[in-house]
Amino acid sequence: MLAVLPLILAATEPLLSVFRSVNSHDTLVGDAIHTSPVRMTPAELADAARPILDTLHRQIIAATHDAYAAFENEGRATTQTARAARAATFGAVDTLLVDIDEVMPGRVDETTGEITLADHESADTYGIVDEIAGRVLSTGGRVLAVRRDEIPQKASLAAILRYAI
């Protein structure tokens, strides 16, 4: 699965409306930069896009929280690292929220998904949350790196599963 990148339009009227009327790109963001990009430096375009991306990020996180809440009672959502590791190993994770600051050294078994925690990082260990995220990505799932406050129950991670396990 390729990463989906939002398309932010920078244009003035009437080009802005014309482009929207003929656009078929499904990731075109509703908001736009209402000026000609010809008159802006790349840094200025980036600065103008930042508030649009921040709003989009908040919307994605809110939608993910809604999905988590809906699937939690069906056994299709978890904040338990061990359960998420098993689910990721078997390709059952659709969406994973991970704390960008989390470091949890250990190992994840290749066949069972069982985790083994370590006291510290070493040549034999790696970041468990990073490994889970890698497994989710390798099976076509989506990973969102966020702050701990944006994860349900302020856990290290939250997984929305494709099916109950």
Side-chain angles (χ1 to χ4, degrees):
M1 178 175 141
L2 295 174
V4 178
L5 299 175
L7 175 61
I8 300 173
L9 182 58
T12 57
E13 292 295 349
L15 186 57
L16 186 98
S17 297
V18 170
F19 183 88
R20 286 195 183 282
S21 71
V22 297
N23 173 61
S24 62
H25 199 282
D26 60 351
T27 62
L28 179 63
V29 177
D31 202 358
I33 300 170
H34 296 274
T35 189
S36 173
V38 173
R39 297 188 176 111
M40 300 178 79
T41 66
E44 290 170 335
L45 276 170
D47 289 343
R50 184 60 191 226
I52 296 169
L53 291 171
D54 288 343
T55 299
L56 183 61
H57 174 77
R58 283 190 298 275
Q59 291 169 347
I60 291 169
I61 298 303
T64 303
H65 278 234
D66 291 346
Y68 182 92
F71 292 127
E72 187 174 25
N73 290 336
E74 298 174 15
R76 291 184 49 205
T78 186
T79 56
Q80 297 173 3
T81 305
R83 188 167 175 228
R86 282 191 303 277
T89 300
F90 297 112
V93 178
D94 176 72
T95 303
L96 182 71
L97 291 170
V98 296
D99 177 3
I100 60 175
D101 296 320
E102 179 67 39
V103 177
M104 188 182 299
R107 299 186 58 77
V108 180
D109 186 270
E110 289 292 323
T111 56
T112 66
E114 181 179 337
I115 64 171
T116 304
L117 296 173
D119 292 331
H120 58 280
E121 294 182 32
S122 71
D124 294 329
T125 64
Y126 45 78
I128 290 174
V129 174
D130 293 342
E131 177 66 18
I132 294 168
R135 291 180 187 198
V136 170
L137 290 171
S138 71
T139 58
R142 182 172 73 153
V143 176
L144 302 170
V146 298
R147 301 275 179 212
R148 186 175 292 258
D149 289 346
E150 296 173 313
I151 299 175
Q153 302 166 19
K154 296 189 172 135
S156 298
L157 56 75
I160 298 173
L161 309 180
R162 293 182 172 120
Y163 47 86
I165 57 168

